[in-house]
Amino acid sequence: MFNLFRGKNAKSAIHTAVGGFLHEEKKRHKNAVDFLQMMAGVTVYVAEEVWGAADPEVKISDTVRFDMETQSFFYKRDGNEMNVQALKGQPFWQSVQQVMVFGQDLLDDIKEREEGRKQLVSNIADLTQQMNESSIVIPRVKLFRV
């Protein structure tokens, strides 16, 4: 690799290699930001509707948290916080990876809850039918207004 940058065309080769990397990095960064925005929407919905949580934040990892009010992921380091989308380089990609791990865990949690809730609704239907067939349930009477 280092032989690529030797000789009279070294400056051009470096410029081409770095330029190509930066161009691709912008594309990768945009894809990651799109993913973060999608995860923000999912996290808000799941926290409120599935978990019933009213907490102002969700812990994603030791260094990343999700703020419910701003609907943004924040990177924490040395007592400072920064919106993950504003990060660059390794801190950005590590934060995205942590959100991805959280996303997979979230998906697994949803699948487990879905199975449990399907079973619960089935049990409710069975119990309701048994109650309706028993003598302890008062039949519903339609009332008419006069």
Side-chain angles (χ1 to χ4, degrees):
M1 178 174 158
F2 293 108
N3 289 336
L4 172 70
F5 300 120
R6 291 187 183 159
K8 55 186 170 181
N9 292 327
K11 187 175 181 181
S12 176
I14 291 171
H15 181 70
T16 301
V18 171
F21 176 82
L22 291 177
H23 178 72
E24 290 301 314
E25 184 71 358
K26 285 182 183 180
K27 287 182 186 178
R28 289 187 291 266
H29 193 274
K30 183 188 179 323
N31 287 340
V33 167
D34 290 347
F35 168 75
L36 291 170
Q37 291 171 344
M38 182 269 305
M39 281 300 299
V42 167
T43 303
V44 168
Y45 178 79
V46 169
E48 292 174 350
E49 299 296 328
V50 178
W51 298 336
D55 297 334
E57 67 179 51
V58 176
K59 181 179 179 178
I60 304 301
S61 70
D62 289 339
T63 58
V64 177
R65 72 173 183 88
F66 180 76
D67 183 81
M68 293 290 285
E69 187 177 328
T70 62
Q71 298 186 9
S72 299
F73 294 95
F74 287 91
Y75 173 75
K76 300 181 287 187
R77 185 173 179 195
D78 301 328
N80 297 319
E81 283 193 337
M82 189 171 188
N83 189 312
V84 170
Q85 292 184 32
L87 295 172
K88 300 288 182 195
Q90 189 172 352
F92 173 78
W93 290 109
Q94 286 175 339
S95 298
V96 169
Q97 186 173 16
Q98 291 167 352
V99 173
M100 288 178 63
V101 169
F102 170 77
Q104 188 59 56
D105 291 345
L106 183 71
L107 189 58
D108 294 344
D109 179 67
I110 294 296
K111 287 177 182 176
E112 287 179 26
R113 287 175 191 264
E114 184 173 13
E115 290 299 316
R117 290 178 183 180
K118 281 181 181 178
Q119 184 62 49
L120 182 61
V121 169
S122 176
N123 292 347
I124 289 170
D126 292 345
L127 183 57
T128 301
Q129 182 178 352
Q130 291 172 13
M131 295 292 281
N132 286 335
E133 293 170 355
S134 76
S135 60
I136 62 169
V137 175
I138 300 171
R140 294 184 184 153
V141 177
K142 290 187 178 182
L143 298 176
F144 296 98
R145 232 181 193 184
V146 246

